[in-house]
PDB file of all heavy atoms in Angstrom:
ATOM      1  N   THR A   1      -6.945   2.735  13.983  1.00  0.00           N
ATOM      2  CA  THR A   1      -5.779   3.060  14.800  1.00  0.00           C
ATOM      3  C   THR A   1      -4.528   2.443  14.179  1.00  0.00           C
ATOM      4  O   THR A   1      -4.609   1.523  13.353  1.00  0.00           O
ATOM      5  CB  THR A   1      -5.943   2.539  16.228  1.00  0.00           C
ATOM      6  OG1 THR A   1      -5.951   1.101  16.201  1.00  0.00           O
ATOM      7  CG2 THR A   1      -7.237   3.044  16.856  1.00  0.00           C
ATOM      8  N   ASP A   2      -3.383   2.926  14.571  1.00  0.00           N
ATOM      9  CA  ASP A   2      -2.119   2.347  14.098  1.00  0.00           C
ATOM     10  C   ASP A   2      -2.041   0.866  14.459  1.00  0.00           C
ATOM     11  O   ASP A   2      -1.532   0.052  13.683  1.00  0.00           O
ATOM     12  CB  ASP A   2      -0.931   3.092  14.710  1.00  0.00           C
ATOM     13  CG  ASP A   2      -0.793   4.503  14.170  1.00  0.00           C
ATOM     14  OD1 ASP A   2      -1.405   4.796  13.115  1.00  0.00           O
ATOM     15  OD2 ASP A   2      -0.083   5.312  14.792  1.00  0.00           O
ATOM     16  N   THR A   3      -2.564   0.522  15.640  1.00  0.00           N
ATOM     17  CA  THR A   3      -2.555  -0.878  16.073  1.00  0.00           C
ATOM     18  C   THR A   3      -3.434  -1.731  15.166  1.00  0.00           C
ATOM     19  O   THR A   3      -3.044  -2.836  14.764  1.00  0.00           O
ATOM     20  CB  THR A   3      -3.032  -1.002  17.528  1.00  0.00           C
ATOM     21  OG1 THR A   3      -2.161  -0.247  18.371  1.00  0.00           O
ATOM     22  CG2 THR A   3      -3.038  -2.458  17.971  1.00  0.00           C
ATOM     23  N   ASP A   4      -4.621  -1.217  14.830  1.00  0.00           N
ATOM     24  CA  ASP A   4      -5.515  -1.952  13.928  1.00  0.00           C
ATOM     25  C   ASP A   4      -4.842  -2.221  12.586  1.00  0.00           C
ATOM     26  O   ASP A   4      -4.927  -3.325  12.033  1.00  0.00           O
ATOM     27  CB  ASP A   4      -6.808  -1.162  13.692  1.00  0.00           C
ATOM     28  CG  ASP A   4      -7.698  -1.108  14.918  1.00  0.00           C
ATOM     29  OD1 ASP A   4      -7.602  -2.029  15.758  1.00  0.00           O
ATOM     30  OD2 ASP A   4      -8.476  -0.146  15.045  1.00  0.00           O
ATOM     31  N   ILE A   5      -4.177  -1.209  12.067  1.00  0.00           N
ATOM     32  CA  ILE A   5      -3.506  -1.350  10.770  1.00  0.00           C
ATOM     33  C   ILE A   5      -2.378  -2.369  10.865  1.00  0.00           C
ATOM     34  O   ILE A   5      -2.223  -3.234   9.987  1.00  0.00           O
ATOM     35  CB  ILE A   5      -2.975   0.019  10.288  1.00  0.00           C
ATOM     36  CG1 ILE A   5      -4.162   0.952   9.971  1.00  0.00           C
ATOM     37  CG2 ILE A   5      -2.082  -0.138   9.061  1.00  0.00           C
ATOM     38  CD1 ILE A   5      -3.758   2.366   9.626  1.00  0.00           C
ATOM     39  N   LYS A   6      -1.592  -2.318  11.936  1.00  0.00           N
ATOM     40  CA  LYS A   6      -0.482  -3.261  12.104  1.00  0.00           C
ATOM     41  C   LYS A   6      -0.975  -4.702  12.228  1.00  0.00           C
ATOM     42  O   LYS A   6      -0.373  -5.625  11.666  1.00  0.00           O
ATOM     43  CB  LYS A   6       0.350  -2.874  13.330  1.00  0.00           C
ATOM     44  CG  LYS A   6       1.177  -1.611  13.145  1.00  0.00           C
ATOM     45  CD  LYS A   6       1.938  -1.262  14.411  1.00  0.00           C
ATOM     46  CE  LYS A   6       2.750   0.009  14.226  1.00  0.00           C
ATOM     47  NZ  LYS A   6       3.470   0.396  15.473  1.00  0.00           N
ATOM     48  N   VAL A   7      -2.068  -4.886  12.956  1.00  0.00           N
ATOM     49  CA  VAL A   7      -2.622  -6.236  13.120  1.00  0.00           C
ATOM     50  C   VAL A   7      -3.100  -6.780  11.774  1.00  0.00           C
ATOM     51  O   VAL A   7      -2.823  -7.934  11.410  1.00  0.00           O
ATOM     52  CB  VAL A   7      -3.775  -6.228  14.145  1.00  0.00           C
ATOM     53  CG1 VAL A   7      -4.528  -7.554  14.113  1.00  0.00           C
ATOM     54  CG2 VAL A   7      -3.236  -5.954  15.545  1.00  0.00           C
ATOM     55  N   ARG A   8      -3.790  -5.954  11.018  1.00  0.00           N
ATOM     56  CA  ARG A   8      -4.268  -6.403   9.704  1.00  0.00           C
ATOM     57  C   ARG A   8      -3.103  -6.699   8.765  1.00  0.00           C
ATOM     58  O   ARG A   8      -3.139  -7.681   8.012  1.00  0.00           O
ATOM     59  CB  ARG A   8      -5.178  -5.344   9.088  1.00  0.00           C
ATOM     60  CG  ARG A   8      -6.537  -5.226   9.759  1.00  0.00           C
ATOM     61  CD  ARG A   8      -7.472  -4.410   8.878  1.00  0.00           C
ATOM     62  NE  ARG A   8      -8.702  -4.039   9.565  1.00  0.00           N
ATOM     63  CZ  ARG A   8      -9.692  -3.366   8.985  1.00  0.00           C
ATOM     64  NH1 ARG A   8      -9.589  -3.008   7.710  1.00  0.00           N
ATOM     65  NH2 ARG A   8     -10.784  -3.066   9.660  1.00  0.00           N
ATOM     66  N   LEU A   9      -2.093  -5.847   8.792  1.00  0.00           N
ATOM     67  CA  LEU A   9      -0.941  -6.064   7.913  1.00  0.00           C
ATOM     68  C   LEU A   9      -0.203  -7.352   8.274  1.00  0.00           C
ATOM     69  O   LEU A   9       0.316  -8.045   7.393  1.00  0.00           O
ATOM     70  CB  LEU A   9       0.016  -4.869   7.988  1.00  0.00           C
ATOM     71  CG  LEU A   9      -0.435  -3.611   7.249  1.00  0.00           C
ATOM     72  CD1 LEU A   9       0.531  -2.458   7.512  1.00  0.00           C
ATOM     73  CD2 LEU A   9      -0.530  -3.866   5.747  1.00  0.00           C
ATOM     74  N   ALA A  10      -0.155  -7.672   9.567  1.00  0.00           N
ATOM     75  CA  ALA A  10       0.513  -8.909  10.000  1.00  0.00           C
ATOM     76  C   ALA A  10      -0.218 -10.142   9.466  1.00  0.00           C
ATOM     77  O   ALA A  10       0.396 -11.193   9.241  1.00  0.00           O
ATOM     78  CB  ALA A  10       0.591  -8.960  11.522  1.00  0.00           C
ATOM     79  N   ARG A  11      -1.521 -10.022   9.227  1.00  0.00           N
ATOM     80  CA  ARG A  11      -2.309 -11.141   8.728  1.00  0.00           C
ATOM     81  C   ARG A  11      -2.451 -11.128   7.207  1.00  0.00           C
ATOM     82  O   ARG A  11      -2.979 -12.078   6.627  1.00  0.00           O
ATOM     83  CB  ARG A  11      -3.711 -11.095   9.357  1.00  0.00           C
ATOM     84  CG  ARG A  11      -3.707 -11.246  10.868  1.00  0.00           C
ATOM     85  CD  ARG A  11      -5.091 -10.958  11.427  1.00  0.00           C
ATOM     86  NE  ARG A  11      -5.129 -11.132  12.886  1.00  0.00           N
ATOM     87  CZ  ARG A  11      -6.152 -10.772  13.654  1.00  0.00           C
ATOM     88  NH1 ARG A  11      -7.220 -10.208  13.091  1.00  0.00           N
ATOM     89  NH2 ARG A  11      -6.110 -10.968  14.961  1.00  0.00           N
ATOM     90  N   TRP A  12      -1.998 -10.053   6.576  1.00  0.00           N
ATOM     91  CA  TRP A  12      -2.211  -9.868   5.135  1.00  0.00           C
ATOM     92  C   TRP A  12      -1.311 -10.785   4.312  1.00  0.00           C
ATOM     93  O   TRP A  12      -0.149 -11.013   4.647  1.00  0.00           O
ATOM     94  CB  TRP A  12      -1.934  -8.419   4.770  1.00  0.00           C
ATOM     95  CG  TRP A  12      -2.083  -8.100   3.301  1.00  0.00           C
ATOM     96  CD1 TRP A  12      -3.244  -7.947   2.622  1.00  0.00           C
ATOM     97  CD2 TRP A  12      -1.033  -7.886   2.357  1.00  0.00           C
ATOM     98  NE1 TRP A  12      -2.991  -7.647   1.300  1.00  0.00           N
ATOM     99  CE2 TRP A  12      -1.649  -7.610   1.112  1.00  0.00           C
ATOM    100  CE3 TRP A  12       0.361  -7.904   2.450  1.00  0.00           C
ATOM    101  CZ2 TRP A  12      -0.914  -7.343  -0.039  1.00  0.00           C
ATOM    102  CZ3 TRP A  12       1.099  -7.645   1.303  1.00  0.00           C
ATOM    103  CH2 TRP A  12       0.463  -7.375   0.085  1.00  0.00           C
ATOM    104  N   GLN A  13      -1.854 -11.293   3.255  1.00  0.00           N
ATOM    105  CA  GLN A  13      -1.084 -12.078   2.294  1.00  0.00           C
ATOM    106  C   GLN A  13      -1.188 -11.410   0.933  1.00  0.00           C
ATOM    107  O   GLN A  13      -2.278 -11.011   0.503  1.00  0.00           O
ATOM    108  CB  GLN A  13      -1.608 -13.516   2.210  1.00  0.00           C
ATOM    109  CG  GLN A  13      -1.369 -14.324   3.483  1.00  0.00           C
ATOM    110  CD  GLN A  13      -1.817 -15.769   3.332  1.00  0.00           C
ATOM    111  OE1 GLN A  13      -2.635 -16.094   2.472  1.00  0.00           O
ATOM    112  NE2 GLN A  13      -1.284 -16.630   4.166  1.00  0.00           N
ATOM    113  N   ALA A  14      -0.074 -11.303   0.255  1.00  0.00           N
ATOM    114  CA  ALA A  14      -0.058 -10.653  -1.055  1.00  0.00           C
ATOM    115  C   ALA A  14      -0.953 -11.418  -2.030  1.00  0.00           C
ATOM    116  O   ALA A  14      -0.987 -12.652  -2.008  1.00  0.00           O
ATOM    117  CB  ALA A  14       1.376 -10.596  -1.591  1.00  0.00           C
ATOM    118  N   PRO A  15      -1.680 -10.719  -2.879  1.00  0.00           N
ATOM    119  CA  PRO A  15      -2.538 -11.397  -3.861  1.00  0.00           C
ATOM    120  C   PRO A  15      -1.708 -12.162  -4.883  1.00  0.00           C
ATOM    121  O   PRO A  15      -0.543 -11.828  -5.139  1.00  0.00           O
ATOM    122  CB  PRO A  15      -3.304 -10.245  -4.516  1.00  0.00           C
ATOM    123  CG  PRO A  15      -2.433  -9.039  -4.310  1.00  0.00           C
ATOM    124  CD  PRO A  15      -1.766  -9.248  -2.989  1.00  0.00           C
ATOM    125  N   GLU A  16      -2.303 -13.190  -5.448  1.00  0.00           N
ATOM    126  CA  GLU A  16      -1.620 -13.947  -6.491  1.00  0.00           C
ATOM    127  C   GLU A  16      -1.369 -13.043  -7.703  1.00  0.00           C
ATOM    128  O   GLU A  16      -2.240 -12.255  -8.086  1.00  0.00           O
ATOM    129  CB  GLU A  16      -2.475 -15.142  -6.919  1.00  0.00           C
ATOM    130  CG  GLU A  16      -2.578 -16.238  -5.864  1.00  0.00           C
ATOM    131  CD  GLU A  16      -1.243 -16.942  -5.656  1.00  0.00           C
ATOM    132  OE1 GLU A  16      -0.505 -17.126  -6.648  1.00  0.00           O
ATOM    133  OE2 GLU A  16      -0.945 -17.286  -4.507  1.00  0.00           O
ATOM    134  N   PRO A  17      -0.184 -13.130  -8.314  1.00  0.00           N
ATOM    135  CA  PRO A  17       0.080 -12.298  -9.493  1.00  0.00           C
ATOM    136  C   PRO A  17      -0.853 -12.662 -10.642  1.00  0.00           C
ATOM    137  O   PRO A  17      -1.208 -13.827 -10.823  1.00  0.00           O
ATOM    138  CB  PRO A  17       1.541 -12.620  -9.828  1.00  0.00           C
ATOM    139  CG  PRO A  17       1.818 -13.932  -9.177  1.00  0.00           C
ATOM    140  CD  PRO A  17       0.966 -13.981  -7.951  1.00  0.00           C
ATOM    141  N   LYS A  18      -1.254 -11.675 -11.408  1.00  0.00           N
ATOM    142  CA  LYS A  18      -2.163 -11.901 -12.528  1.00  0.00           C
ATOM    143  C   LYS A  18      -1.444 -12.513 -13.730  1.00  0.00           C
ATOM    144  O   LYS A  18      -2.077 -13.132 -14.578  1.00  0.00           O
ATOM    145  CB  LYS A  18      -2.826 -10.586 -12.935  1.00  0.00           C
ATOM    146  CG  LYS A  18      -3.722  -9.993 -11.855  1.00  0.00           C
ATOM    147  CD  LYS A  18      -4.266  -8.637 -12.266  1.00  0.00           C
ATOM    148  CE  LYS A  18      -5.093  -8.025 -11.151  1.00  0.00           C
ATOM    149  NZ  LYS A  18      -5.544  -6.658 -11.489  1.00  0.00           N
ATOM    150  N   VAL A  19      -0.137 -12.288 -13.812  1.00  0.00           N
ATOM    151  CA  VAL A  19       0.667 -12.816 -14.912  1.00  0.00           C
ATOM    152  C   VAL A  19       1.829 -13.598 -14.330  1.00  0.00           C
ATOM    153  O   VAL A  19       2.504 -13.125 -13.407  1.00  0.00           O
ATOM    154  CB  VAL A  19       1.199 -11.681 -15.818  1.00  0.00           C
ATOM    155  CG1 VAL A  19       2.023 -12.242 -16.967  1.00  0.00           C
ATOM    156  CG2 VAL A  19       0.044 -10.847 -16.356  1.00  0.00           C
ATOM    157  N   ARG A  20       2.088 -14.779 -14.857  1.00  0.00           N
ATOM    158  CA  ARG A  20       3.131 -15.638 -14.302  1.00  0.00           C
ATOM    159  C   ARG A  20       4.248 -15.964 -15.284  1.00  0.00           C
ATOM    160  O   ARG A  20       5.086 -16.815 -15.010  1.00  0.00           O
ATOM    161  CB  ARG A  20       2.518 -16.951 -13.799  1.00  0.00           C
ATOM    162  CG  ARG A  20       1.633 -16.779 -12.568  1.00  0.00           C
ATOM    163  CD  ARG A  20       1.125 -18.108 -12.077  1.00  0.00           C
ATOM    164  NE  ARG A  20       0.394 -18.001 -10.833  1.00  0.00           N
ATOM    165  CZ  ARG A  20       0.957 -18.007  -9.622  1.00  0.00           C
ATOM    166  NH1 ARG A  20       2.264 -18.143  -9.503  1.00  0.00           N
ATOM    167  NH2 ARG A  20       0.216 -17.910  -8.540  1.00  0.00           N
ATOM    168  N   GLN A  21       4.262 -15.306 -16.421  1.00  0.00           N
ATOM    169  CA  GLN A  21       5.324 -15.579 -17.380  1.00  0.00           C
ATOM    170  C   GLN A  21       5.593 -14.339 -18.229  1.00  0.00           C
ATOM    171  O   GLN A  21       4.776 -13.419 -18.273  1.00  0.00           O
ATOM    172  CB  GLN A  21       4.942 -16.744 -18.300  1.00  0.00           C
ATOM    173  CG  GLN A  21       3.675 -16.519 -19.105  1.00  0.00           C
ATOM    174  CD  GLN A  21       3.284 -17.737 -19.917  1.00  0.00           C
ATOM    175  OE1 GLN A  21       3.951 -18.755 -19.893  1.00  0.00           O
ATOM    176  NE2 GLN A  21       2.184 -17.634 -20.650  1.00  0.00           N
ATOM    177  N   GLY A  22       6.741 -14.344 -18.885  1.00  0.00           N
ATOM    178  CA  GLY A  22       7.077 -13.255 -19.777  1.00  0.00           C
ATOM    179  C   GLY A  22       7.505 -11.993 -19.063  1.00  0.00           C
ATOM    180  O   GLY A  22       7.755 -11.966 -17.857  1.00  0.00           O
ATOM    181  N   PHE A  23       7.561 -10.911 -19.841  1.00  0.00           N
ATOM    182  CA  PHE A  23       8.068  -9.649 -19.310  1.00  0.00           C
ATOM    183  C   PHE A  23       7.183  -9.091 -18.202  1.00  0.00           C
ATOM    184  O   PHE A  23       7.677  -8.542 -17.213  1.00  0.00           O
ATOM    185  CB  PHE A  23       8.186  -8.613 -20.442  1.00  0.00           C
ATOM    186  CG  PHE A  23       8.593  -7.259 -19.951  1.00  0.00           C
ATOM    187  CD1 PHE A  23       9.907  -6.993 -19.599  1.00  0.00           C
ATOM    188  CD2 PHE A  23       7.649  -6.248 -19.793  1.00  0.00           C
ATOM    189  CE1 PHE A  23      10.284  -5.741 -19.123  1.00  0.00           C
ATOM    190  CE2 PHE A  23       8.017  -4.996 -19.320  1.00  0.00           C
ATOM    191  CZ  PHE A  23       9.338  -4.744 -18.986  1.00  0.00           C
ATOM    192  N   LEU A  24       5.860  -9.211 -18.342  1.00  0.00           N
ATOM    193  CA  LEU A  24       4.973  -8.649 -17.323  1.00  0.00           C
ATOM    194  C   LEU A  24       5.141  -9.344 -15.975  1.00  0.00           C
ATOM    195  O   LEU A  24       4.938  -8.731 -14.932  1.00  0.00           O
ATOM    196  CB  LEU A  24       3.516  -8.727 -17.771  1.00  0.00           C
ATOM    197  CG  LEU A  24       3.079  -7.702 -18.814  1.00  0.00           C
ATOM    198  CD1 LEU A  24       1.624  -7.912 -19.196  1.00  0.00           C
ATOM    199  CD2 LEU A  24       3.295  -6.278 -18.308  1.00  0.00           C
ATOM    200  N   ASP A  25       5.519 -10.615 -15.998  1.00  0.00           N
ATOM    201  CA  ASP A  25       5.809 -11.317 -14.746  1.00  0.00           C
ATOM    202  C   ASP A  25       7.008 -10.675 -14.070  1.00  0.00           C
ATOM    203  O   ASP A  25       6.978 -10.372 -12.873  1.00  0.00           O
ATOM    204  CB  ASP A  25       6.065 -12.795 -15.037  1.00  0.00           C
ATOM    205  CG  ASP A  25       6.515 -13.553 -13.790  1.00  0.00           C
ATOM    206  OD1 ASP A  25       5.840 -13.423 -12.752  1.00  0.00           O
ATOM    207  OD2 ASP A  25       7.541 -14.252 -13.852  1.00  0.00           O
ATOM    208  N   ARG A  26       8.069 -10.467 -14.838  1.00  0.00           N
ATOM    209  CA  ARG A  26       9.256  -9.803 -14.280  1.00  0.00           C
ATOM    210  C   ARG A  26       8.921  -8.382 -13.839  1.00  0.00           C
ATOM    211  O   ARG A  26       9.348  -7.930 -12.766  1.00  0.00           O
ATOM    212  CB  ARG A  26      10.374  -9.767 -15.326  1.00  0.00           C
ATOM    213  CG  ARG A  26      11.579  -8.959 -14.861  1.00  0.00           C
ATOM    214  CD  ARG A  26      12.696  -8.944 -15.879  1.00  0.00           C
ATOM    215  NE  ARG A  26      13.772  -8.093 -15.401  1.00  0.00           N
ATOM    216  CZ  ARG A  26      14.047  -6.893 -15.882  1.00  0.00           C
ATOM    217  NH1 ARG A  26      13.331  -6.389 -16.863  1.00  0.00           N
ATOM    218  NH2 ARG A  26      15.044  -6.183 -15.397  1.00  0.00           N
ATOM    219  N   TYR A  27       8.152  -7.685 -14.648  1.00  0.00           N
ATOM    220  CA  TYR A  27       7.782  -6.311 -14.331  1.00  0.00           C
ATOM    221  C   TYR A  27       7.032  -6.243 -13.004  1.00  0.00           C
ATOM    222  O   TYR A  27       7.363  -5.426 -12.136  1.00  0.00           O
ATOM    223  CB  TYR A  27       6.918  -5.754 -15.459  1.00  0.00           C
ATOM    224  CG  TYR A  27       6.408  -4.349 -15.234  1.00  0.00           C
ATOM    225  CD1 TYR A  27       7.144  -3.248 -15.657  1.00  0.00           C
ATOM    226  CD2 TYR A  27       5.185  -4.124 -14.613  1.00  0.00           C
ATOM    227  CE1 TYR A  27       6.676  -1.956 -15.454  1.00  0.00           C
ATOM    228  CE2 TYR A  27       4.708  -2.833 -14.402  1.00  0.00           C
ATOM    229  CZ  TYR A  27       5.458  -1.762 -14.827  1.00  0.00           C
ATOM    230  OH  TYR A  27       4.998  -0.486 -14.613  1.00  0.00           O
ATOM    231  N   SER A  28       6.035  -7.091 -12.823  1.00  0.00           N
ATOM    232  CA  SER A  28       5.216  -7.032 -11.616  1.00  0.00           C
ATOM    233  C   SER A  28       6.014  -7.362 -10.362  1.00  0.00           C
ATOM    234  O   SER A  28       5.667  -6.931  -9.268  1.00  0.00           O
ATOM    235  CB  SER A  28       4.013  -7.965 -11.738  1.00  0.00           C
ATOM    236  OG  SER A  28       4.430  -9.308 -11.822  1.00  0.00           O
ATOM    237  N   ARG A  29       7.078  -8.139 -10.512  1.00  0.00           N
ATOM    238  CA  ARG A  29       7.907  -8.484  -9.353  1.00  0.00           C
ATOM    239  C   ARG A  29       8.982  -7.443  -9.081  1.00  0.00           C
ATOM    240  O   ARG A  29       9.489  -7.359  -7.952  1.00  0.00           O
ATOM    241  CB  ARG A  29       8.577  -9.845  -9.578  1.00  0.00           C
ATOM    242  CG  ARG A  29       7.606 -11.023  -9.498  1.00  0.00           C
ATOM    243  CD  ARG A  29       8.314 -12.379  -9.603  1.00  0.00           C
ATOM    244  NE  ARG A  29       8.726 -12.683 -10.972  1.00  0.00           N
ATOM    245  CZ  ARG A  29       9.965 -12.618 -11.429  1.00  0.00           C
ATOM    246  NH1 ARG A  29      10.951 -12.240 -10.610  1.00  0.00           N
ATOM    247  NH2 ARG A  29      10.263 -12.920 -12.676  1.00  0.00           N
ATOM    248  N   SER A  30       9.332  -6.625 -10.067  1.00  0.00           N
ATOM    249  CA  SER A  30      10.492  -5.743  -9.936  1.00  0.00           C
ATOM    250  C   SER A  30      10.176  -4.258 -10.010  1.00  0.00           C
ATOM    251  O   SER A  30      11.051  -3.439  -9.716  1.00  0.00           O
ATOM    252  CB  SER A  30      11.507  -6.072 -11.049  1.00  0.00           C
ATOM    253  OG  SER A  30      11.851  -7.438 -11.044  1.00  0.00           O
ATOM    254  N   VAL A  31       8.970  -3.879 -10.415  1.00  0.00           N
ATOM    255  CA  VAL A  31       8.670  -2.467 -10.609  1.00  0.00           C
ATOM    256  C   VAL A  31       8.583  -1.739  -9.271  1.00  0.00           C
ATOM    257  O   VAL A  31       8.155  -2.303  -8.259  1.00  0.00           O
ATOM    258  CB  VAL A  31       7.356  -2.310 -11.405  1.00  0.00           C
ATOM    259  CG1 VAL A  31       6.153  -2.777 -10.575  1.00  0.00           C
ATOM    260  CG2 VAL A  31       7.166  -0.884 -11.871  1.00  0.00           C
ATOM    261  N   SER A  32       9.001  -0.473  -9.278  1.00  0.00           N
ATOM    262  CA  SER A  32       8.941   0.331  -8.066  1.00  0.00           C
ATOM    263  C   SER A  32       7.544   0.896  -7.882  1.00  0.00           C
ATOM    264  O   SER A  32       6.675   0.806  -8.764  1.00  0.00           O
ATOM    265  CB  SER A  32       9.943   1.492  -8.160  1.00  0.00           C
ATOM    266  OG  SER A  32       9.549   2.421  -9.171  1.00  0.00           O
ATOM    267  N   GLU A  33       7.318   1.487  -6.709  1.00  0.00           N
ATOM    268  CA  GLU A  33       6.026   2.095  -6.410  1.00  0.00           C
ATOM    269  C   GLU A  33       5.787   3.294  -7.339  1.00  0.00           C
ATOM    270  O   GLU A  33       6.728   3.895  -7.883  1.00  0.00           O
ATOM    271  CB  GLU A  33       5.987   2.564  -4.963  1.00  0.00           C
ATOM    272  CG  GLU A  33       5.803   1.421  -3.984  1.00  0.00           C
ATOM    273  CD  GLU A  33       4.335   1.167  -3.684  1.00  0.00           C
ATOM    274  OE1 GLU A  33       3.483   1.478  -4.536  1.00  0.00           O
ATOM    275  OE2 GLU A  33       4.051   0.645  -2.609  1.00  0.00           O
ATOM    276  N   VAL A  34       4.519   3.673  -7.483  1.00  0.00           N
ATOM    277  CA  VAL A  34       4.183   4.746  -8.423  1.00  0.00           C
ATOM    278  C   VAL A  34       4.792   6.078  -7.999  1.00  0.00           C
ATOM    279  O   VAL A  34       5.183   6.881  -8.862  1.00  0.00           O
ATOM    280  CB  VAL A  34       2.647   4.851  -8.573  1.00  0.00           C
ATOM    281  CG1 VAL A  34       1.994   5.340  -7.277  1.00  0.00           C
ATOM    282  CG2 VAL A  34       2.275   5.746  -9.732  1.00  0.00           C
TER     283      VAL A  34
END
């Protein structure tokens, strides 16, 4: 349900980035959706 999805999203935490330096770090933080 929409409520189930909203509750889960409220508890969701973004995963740790796989890259923390260099261009790919900037890319992963700034790239738009596909």
